[in-house]
Each structure stands twice: as structure tokens, then as C-alpha cells.
């Protein structure tokens, strides 16, 4: 932490100005526009410090976007963030899991400012035991009959906890 209001915090520091979180950068301070963007970077509110006048005097940089490599659930469609301006869809569930992602990694947020690139996994062919090519987009969402939150005892077998609804739009999808 910086003890003087005349000295800005070091680069990379998260500063809190009246509830708005900024990251100090080499050229100024970058706003963090949404909780989803904040979470994509793995930030922790407990590690933010109060902004001082020197922090707020720094120029306002562009807002941070999602961290490249993040997976975002935008209205049930899962997107991979592949650059500062591009998103790529997953044509199949196996494409998603074969790339090492788990369903719990997806952050709920909007990717409306990102251009859609080519689908992940090339042409969209399934890589599981089935065969075929996807022509649609796979959306995953929490099913309406997912059980309410609760506590499950360790080593419990067959405890219902999450139900996922998979929806294909725009054509067939190979899973």
C-alpha cells in the first residue's frame, strides 16, 4: 500500500474509488466494467486498496476486457475469448471438454462487443465416439429443474446437484 496521496500505486494494483475498481497501468488506470470481466482475471476484491488522489489523477485508459482464454456463458451460448476483440464458439460439448474446459469454468457475462471468429476445434467435427459434422451452435444453460442449493456430505453417491440443458440452434450439433 502507498502511504502518500501524492504517489500513485504501482502498476497492476487494483484501486477502489467509491466502489469503482480500476487497475493501475503503465499509462494510467483501466476501469473494470463488469463483475464478469473482474472474475475472468481472477481478481479478488479483498486485494484492492483505496484509490488516492495520485491514482485518480492518472489518465483514464480503455476499460479492461475479458482475459484471453476465458470462457463466457452469454445467454446459454459458451464462447472462448481468443483475443482482445474476438470470441469463438464451441460447436460441440466434446470440443469444449477436449480442450480442457469444465462446465464450471464458464463465467456468466456478455460478449456483445467481440467479433465472432471461426468455431473452436476447426470445422466443428465431434471428437467423441460418434461421427459427423456440426452445422449449428451449441448452447448450454442451467436447466429449470436443477435442485436448489444445499449441502452434500462428502463421498455421497448420486446426489443431484446440477442439470444442464443443451440446445442446438441453426442446424444439427454433434456431441
Amino acid at each position: 500500500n502507498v502511504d502518500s496521496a501524492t504517489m500513485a500505486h504501482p502498476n497492476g494494483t487494483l484501486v477502489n474509488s467509491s466502489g469503482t475498481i480500476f487497475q493501475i497501468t503503465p499509462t494510467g488506470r483501466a476501469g473494470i466494467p463488469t463483475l464478469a470481466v473482474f472474475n475472468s482475471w481472477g481478481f479478488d476484491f479483498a486485494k484492492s486498496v483505496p484509490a488516492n488522489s495520485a491514482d485518480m489523477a492518472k489518465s483514464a485508459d480503455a476499460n479492461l476486457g475479458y482475459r484471453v482464454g476465458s470462457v463466457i456463458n452469454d445467454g446459454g451460448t459458451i464462447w472462448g475469448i481468443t483475443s482482445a476483440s474476438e470470441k469463438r464458439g464451441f460447436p460441440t460439448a466434446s470440443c469444449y471438454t477436449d480442450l480442457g474446459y469444465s462446465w464450471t469454468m464458464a463465467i456468466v457475462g456478455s460478449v456483445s462487443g467481440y467479433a465472432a471468429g471461426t468455431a473452436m476445434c476447426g470445422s466443428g467435427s465431434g471428437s467423441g465416439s460418434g461421427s459427423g459434422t456440426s452445422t449449428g451452435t451449441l448452447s448450454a444453460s442451467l436447466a429449470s429443474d436443477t435442485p436448489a442449493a444445499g449441502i452434500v456430505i462428502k463421498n455421497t453417491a448420486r446426489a443431484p446437484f446440477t442439470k444442464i440443458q443443451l440446445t442446438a440452434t441453426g442446424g444439427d450439433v454433434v456431441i
Side-chain angles (χ1 to χ4, degrees):
N1 201 1
V2 174
D3 294 331
S4 168
T6 61
M7 187 168 69
H9 286 89
N11 294 336
T13 303
L14 296 178
V15 297
N16 182 337
S17 175
S18 301
T20 300
I21 305 293
F22 297 93
Q23 183 181 46
I24 301 300
T25 69
T27 57
R29 57 186 163 82
I32 303 173
T34 66
L35 181 60
V37 170
F38 185 89
N39 289 336
S40 78
W41 287 91
F43 291 149
D44 181 352
F45 285 112
K47 294 184 180 174
S48 67
V49 297
N52 62 32
S53 59
D55 296 327
M56 298 314 293
K58 292 177 82 80
S59 65
D61 289 345
N63 283 341
L64 284 180
Y66 291 111
R67 182 184 54 80
V68 172
S70 300
V71 286
I72 309 301
N73 178 345
D74 186 348
T77 299
I78 307 296
W79 297 95
I81 303 301
T82 56
S83 76
S85 60
E86 184 182 69
K87 62 186 177 185
R88 294 174 61 192
F90 295 88
T92 64
S94 60
C95 166
Y96 182 83
T97 56
D98 288 351
L99 289 174
Y101 294 108
S102 73
W103 298 110
T104 59
M105 295 171 74
I107 298 167
V108 176
S110 171
V111 292
S112 61
Y114 290 78
T118 58
M120 300 290 254
C121 301
S123 67
S125 296
S127 57
S129 60
S131 63
T133 300
S134 294
T135 58
T137 302
L138 177 67
S139 298
S141 62
L142 197 60
S144 61
D145 60 342
T146 293
I151 297 173
V152 176
I153 306 299
K154 185 177 180 180
N155 296 326
T156 298
R158 302 183 196 274
F161 64 98
T162 303
K163 291 186 178 181
I164 304 292
Q165 180 171 342
L166 302 175
T167 305
T169 55
D172 291 335
V173 176
V174 176
I175 298 178

